[in-house]
Amino acid sequence: MSENNRDVKRNARERLAVEREKQKAAEKRRRALIVGASVVCVLALAAVVGVLAANSGKETKKTDTAGPAVSPSGATGKDGLAIPVGKDGAKSTLTVWEDFRCPACQAFEAMYRPTIHELVDAGQLKVEYHLVTLIDGNMGGSGSLRAANAAACAQDAGKFTEYHDVLYENQPKETDDAFADNAKLIELAGKVDGLDTPAFRKCVNDGTHDSWVVKSNTAFQNNGLHSTPTVLLGATNIYADQTMTPAKLKQLVEAENKS
């Protein structure tokens, strides 16, 4: 064999060896990338699971309503789910299903509140308030529940009407769950003379009436009601009446009291 042929074969073997080393290195890098990507996925999955678990824990704590339903002082109706305002002898009864986070409820209150207060003060109208948590269910959060519990605590203190009105006057945007903060609800109680007491604060922070609020919301659903506010004068849904005005409501109540 000539020297040239030996050189050619040797060069070929060397090139083949170099190529095999390149292939081995490439395969090693590929395996490393696969393993690395797998680790990243596992870590990412673990992070997601951790976040979900943490949020789940927070939500459970926030909406923990286990225990017996404790009705607020003076609650009436079936299962003690209505907060009455006005004199028992009034011939007309207005049944109001409301959510303190509900913008439509705020609009109803702003328009009809002076007339309702006038009729209640005159002994012609009694109002039965039922508190629900519709917005919590639709938007998430717990502001409806927390505010309703605080309003029930205000009822215990004989300050329901005043605090009810303060909550609507200071209602946050529907997407802002500000009422989920008990400190905010207690701060607003400062706008009602004599309400911000240790007893009220304890009632709010302990969620004394949480289970009662949940029971009230269940009754709302079981009655086939789907929107707030639902406002019934007797059996008539006046909120669904497009012709209804505060003046017309006053006429209806005064006519009923004359009959």
Side-chain angles (χ1 to χ4, degrees):
M1 180 180 299
S2 68
E3 187 67 27
N4 287 338
N5 286 339
R6 282 196 296 269
D7 290 341
V8 170
K9 289 183 178 181
R10 184 169 58 251
N11 291 337
R13 285 194 298 269
E14 289 174 352
R15 286 195 300 271
L16 185 60
V18 170
E19 187 63 31
R20 281 198 296 264
E21 289 302 320
K22 288 182 180 180
Q23 290 176 355
K24 287 180 181 180
E27 180 65 20
K28 187 179 294 185
R29 286 195 299 272
R30 188 180 70 84
R31 285 197 300 268
L33 288 172
I34 291 174
V35 171
S38 299
V39 170
V40 170
C41 290
V42 170
L43 290 175
L45 178 60
V48 171
V49 171
V51 170
L52 291 176
N55 288 341
S56 175
K58 291 178 182 177
E59 187 67 19
T60 299
K61 182 179 180 181
K62 187 183 292 184
T63 60
D64 183 9
T65 53
V70 179
S71 298
S73 176
T76 60
K78 184 179 178 182
D79 297 326
L81 296 178
I83 294 179
V85 173
K87 299 177 181 178
D88 290 336
K91 288 188 176 182
S92 296
T93 299
L94 194 69
T95 303
V96 182
W97 297 82
E98 287 187 324
D99 183 328
F100 288 110
R101 286 182 70 186
C102 165
C105 297
Q106 183 192 48
F108 170 79
E109 287 293 335
M111 179 178 291
Y112 284 88
R113 180 187 301 154
T115 300
I116 291 174
H117 284 342
E118 178 185 347
L119 294 170
V120 166
D121 292 343
Q124 295 182 315
L125 179 68
K126 180 174 71 173
V127 186
E128 294 182 345
Y129 289 96
H130 297 260
L131 310 181
V132 300
T133 58
L134 184 67
I135 305 302
D136 283 358
N138 291 344
M139 303 293 295
S142 60
S144 301
L145 173 63
R146 299 262 50 78
N149 171 70
C153 295
Q155 169 67 10
D156 289 338
K159 305 283 186 179
F160 173 80
T161 300
E162 299 93 324
Y163 189 63
H164 165 277
D165 293 352
V166 164
L167 287 176
Y168 279 115
E169 289 165 1
N170 293 272
Q171 184 189 73
K173 292 182 179 180
E174 187 178 16
T175 54
D176 180 1
D177 197 23
F179 282 169
D181 183 2
N182 286 336
K184 176 65 175 178
L185 298 170
I186 291 171
E187 175 190 334
L188 291 175
K191 296 179 179 291
V192 178
D193 289 343
L195 180 56
D196 186 6
T197 64
F200 174 79
R201 290 186 174 217
K202 185 176 189 304
C203 182
V204 171
N205 288 322
D206 288 353
T208 298
H209 301 296
D210 282 1
S211 294
W212 174 82
V213 175
V214 171
K215 193 171 184 178
S216 178
N217 190 68
T218 299
F220 172 77
Q221 296 170 334
N222 290 342
N223 284 332
L225 304 177
H226 306 288
S227 62
T228 53
T230 294
V231 185
L232 308 174
L233 182 62
T236 304
N237 188 346
I238 67 166
Y239 189 73
D241 183 353
Q242 298 297 316
T243 68
M244 186 59 60
T245 63
K248 183 176 180 180
L249 173 62
K250 185 177 181 179
Q251 290 173 356
L252 290 173
V253 171
E254 289 178 340
E256 192 169 38
N257 276 268
K258 289 179 181 178
S259 61

